[in-house]
Amino acid sequence: MNGKIVHIKSFGCQMNKLDTALVSSALKEAGFSLTASVKEADVVLINTCSVREHAEQRVLSHLGHLKHIKENKPDLIVGVIGCMAQRLGDKLLEHEAVNIVCGPTQIPQIAKLITEALERNEKRLAVTEKILQKTSENQNQTLERFESAYGIEDKKIPSQAYVRAMRGCNNFCTYCIVPYVRGPEVCRAPEAIIEQIKRLASQGVKQVTLLGQTVNSYKYKKGRRIWCLADLLDAASAIEGIEWLKFVTSYPSEEFFDEILQVMADSPKVCNYLHIPAQSGSDKILRAMNRNYTAAWYLELLAKARATVPGIAIAGDFIVGFPGETEEDFEATVELLKKARYRNSFIFKYSPRPGTTADKRLEDTVPAEVKQKRIAELLAVQEKISDELSRDFLDKEVKVLVEGLSKKSHLNIGGSGDNPQLVGRTATDYIVVFNGPTSLAGQFAKVKITKTSPLTLFGELI
Ligand code: 5AD
Ligand code: SF4
């Protein structure tokens, strides 16, 4: 113990949640202790997301709040890590509240940076200068050591863990900041991933989610053999203790798709869930986004998935109001969404990101109120579909992996004492709320569904 207390706040995607978990355990290893309260903390770290402007604004307003706290507590060290740190670098360091700026590639240095900032009260910057260049072997090894040494916990949800299959992205969809903040694609060695999953399993982890921006394009040459995601899933399925395997996010691509679907169909451990964003249903917009497929081809891909894996649940992402999106283009998106019959869609308004091709070459032509109208319409169409799909579960039994206490108190289901409201997820990623003992957290349970809503199923423990 070095006596110093750290509070970490995390914004953004699963990648960030994993980084937060890695940083947390690295800091504990280095003698820091963690707290859920900003008041108690000597150090506040914010793990940031740059994917939309709104995410960055939330971080900036949080920094404003920390600046006030520092007026009464000038020794407080504030560190910004993650995508926004890489994107803004020294500009962020100029912020009055900020002492440390550390990009995603530099997180193995975080304990050292904090120690230096505490000792010398100097500002510390660690980001990648040339982010689009291939990461050096040295850097990859450092990240790999950090990843495999500390990637053994996700304290938030018992018996579940994220494991990175690959870092970065090479796709350069024209709206997307990810390649500019997380750098080029690097796949981790299969043996490192499998060893890590074995270790997690020996510590009681039952569900592993493999992560990558385009995880289905995972590819690693080992001797004469090329490992793809299906091989990883197959090898991980053989690990004792691992019950469920999930993976996110997939890019609509034919490469390895059949193999991945087949392992899903064949292995009871590989969950029948596919998150495969379409982004738009208009071929013109898909081209402008640099997505390499047409709407018709994408729908064929989904049809193939459903034919190979009956009962598969599919989720998607969409961006509305991309530059040049006409009413007709938007209608094509509505059509695609209806035909795809997603179990759930994540829908976003286009947000220009500095430095991306769309931002440099295309004007943000769709007015804010039109974006708002389109997002509301698309959400309503999806809600109706989700509601219909959820209703199929009425009176049926589902198996869930219990996450713990339900954060929201849902109406119509009472219960307290040793029978509080719990939340779990099915293999197909449905959220299930029911009453049961807290000791079920991290265990599998069977629930009979008595009520449904578009995104949540409610039921009774069997
Ligand atoms: N504006 C709005 N949404 C975006 N996404 C990525 N970049 C942007 C942007 N500039 C969405 C995509 C992606 C999800 C993670 O975020 O739908 O799949
Ligand atoms: Fe961004 Fe496209 Fe890469 Fe996804 S595939 S992270 S949207 S560039």
Side-chain angles (χ1 to χ4, degrees):
M1 285 282 266
N2 65 22
K4 296 295 179 189
I5 304 173
V6 185
H7 170 83
I8 310 185
K9 185 167 173 64
S10 194
F11 292 88
C13 63
Q14 287 104 332
M15 273 296 170
N16 263 18
K17 285 192 192 143
L18 171 57
D19 284 342
T20 297
L22 297 179
V23 165
S24 305
S25 32
L27 290 179
K28 278 199 277 183
E29 185 82 11
F32 292 92
S33 56
L34 296 177
T35 174
S37 133
V38 179
K39 269 198 200 134
E40 271 176 28
D42 303 301
V43 181
V44 174
L45 287 184
I46 312 176
N47 195 1
T48 58
C49 168
S50 284
V51 87
R52 280 169 293 277
E53 196 189 352
H54 177 68
E56 292 199 343
Q57 272 163 357
R58 281 174 62 205
V59 169
L60 290 175
S61 90
H62 199 68
L63 286 176
H65 174 64
L66 289 170
K67 189 180 136 211
H68 278 300
I69 296 183
K70 278 182 99 162
E71 280 161 15
N72 295 320
K73 202 176 168 184
D75 292 338
L76 179 72
I77 296 292
V78 173
V80 180
I81 61 176
C83 295
M84 214 173 145
Q86 175 60 42
R87 192 177 88 71
L88 296 170
D90 46 8
K91 278 194 225 111
L92 202 52
L93 204 61
E94 283 168 18
H95 191 291
E96 259 181 88
V98 177
N99 303 83
I100 300 166
V101 171
C102 171
T105 317
Q106 284 73 25
I107 53 169
Q109 302 171 29
I110 192 67
K112 182 171 143 276
L113 293 168
I114 295 176
T115 308
E116 288 170 359
L118 281 165
E119 278 170 3
R120 300 187 216 140
N121 206 6
E122 279 172 11
K123 293 209 176 208
R124 311 291 292 135
L125 174 72
V127 293
T128 305
E129 218 169 287
K130 295 194 170 133
I131 189 74
L132 295 183
Q133 276 181 10
K134 219 169 152 231
T135 32
S136 70
E137 216 22 65
N138 216 347
Q139 240 171 356
N140 283 341
Q141 278 169 12
T142 310
L143 278 167
E144 187 51 52
R145 269 197 304 275
F146 184 72
E147 186 106 36
S148 41
Y150 299 116
I152 46 169
E153 59 177 295
D154 182 342
K155 306 155 291 1
K156 292 259 162 60
I157 305 178
S159 76
Q160 296 191 20
Y162 293 122
V163 170
R164 203 175 330 251
M166 57 206 279
R167 297 178 247 281
C169 183
N170 288 345
N171 272 34
F172 289 94
C173 301
T174 55
Y175 51 81
C176 187
I177 195 78
V178 168
Y180 304 89
V181 287
R182 295 235 169 214
E185 191 178 292
V186 180
C187 293
R188 295 180 64 204
E191 60 272 20
I193 298 171
I194 297 302
E195 275 313 307
Q196 193 176 6
I197 301 177
K198 278 188 188 154
R199 214 165 42 226
L200 288 163
S202 74
Q203 293 170 346
V205 165
K206 300 185 174 105
Q207 173 183 301
V208 163
T209 304
L210 291 171
L211 294 185
Q213 305 292 347
T214 60
V215 71
N216 56 329
S217 63
Y218 175 88
K219 193 193 281 193
Y220 195 95
K221 196 158 182 284
K222 214 179 139 197
R224 267 195 241 144
R225 188 172 158 203
I226 289 186
W227 278 67
C228 72
L229 181 70
D231 300 314
L232 280 184
L233 291 167
D234 195 41
S237 293
I239 297 172
E240 210 185 303
I242 295 297
E243 301 279 342
W244 279 0
L245 287 158
K246 296 183 177 175
F247 57 90
V248 285
T249 297
S250 295
Y251 184 91
S253 153
E254 214 142 52
E255 199 186 15
F256 309 130
F257 198 64
D258 290 347
E259 290 91 327
I260 295 167
L261 291 178
Q262 206 51 55
V263 74
M264 217 185 237
D266 294 344
S267 165
K269 291 187 179 178
V270 181
C271 294
N272 296 350
Y273 173 75
L274 193 62
H275 179 209
I276 187 158
Q279 309 297 1
S280 171
S282 151
D283 293 343
K284 180 191 97 191
I285 296 296
L286 286 170
R287 251 192 325 274
M289 287 176 161
N290 191 31
R291 304 283 291 183
N292 299 313
Y293 52 86
T294 61
W297 182 87
Y298 173 85
L299 286 169
E300 272 172 36
L301 206 68
L302 297 197
K304 192 192 244 180
R306 290 193 163 111
T308 317
V309 187
I312 191 172
I314 300 177
D317 291 359
F318 288 93
I319 296 176
V320 297
F322 188 79
E325 186 188 73
T326 60
E327 212 40 56
E328 206 183 342
D329 296 318
F330 174 66
E331 280 313 315
T333 298
V334 176
E335 275 316 298
L336 182 136
L337 183 133
K338 282 183 181 161
K339 287 184 186 145
R341 286 194 71 78
Y342 297 104
R343 164 240 163 310
N344 185 20
S345 290
F346 303 91
I347 307 175
F348 309 100
K349 290 187 248 181
Y350 172 67
S351 165
R353 304 313 296 133
T356 58
T357 310
D359 185 53
K360 283 192 279 190
R361 300 210 189 130
L362 307 169
E363 210 183 318
D364 186 13
T365 48
V366 183
E369 59 280 12
V370 177
K371 284 184 186 164
Q372 184 52 42
K373 189 184 112 313
R374 289 181 185 167
I375 199 173
E377 184 180 335
L378 207 57
L379 282 167
V381 178
Q382 179 59 53
E383 185 168 320
K384 188 163 169 285
I385 297 167
S386 296
D387 196 38
E388 287 165 11
L389 294 175
S390 284
R391 277 174 206 275
D392 287 344
F393 285 91
L394 256 187
D395 298 326
K396 303 225 168 85
E397 278 178 25
V398 295
K399 181 178 170 186
V400 296
L401 183 53
V402 183
E403 296 186 351
L405 289 173
S406 160
K407 278 189 212 111
K408 284 185 219 147
S409 57
H410 294 274
L411 293 173
N412 299 340
I413 291 194
S416 56
D418 63 352
N419 194 34
Q421 209 166 77
L422 302 178
V423 65
R425 263 175 213 264
T426 67
T428 50
D429 216 47
Y430 276 89
I431 300 164
V432 182
V433 173
F434 59 100
N435 288 87
T438 37
S439 59
L440 273 182
Q443 308 291 325
F444 286 100
K446 283 210 166 139
V447 178
K448 183 167 181 195
I449 303 305
T450 53
K451 187 180 154 215
T452 67
S453 75
L455 289 182
T456 311
L457 308 175
F458 302 88
E460 284 158 12
L461 188 64
I462 299 174

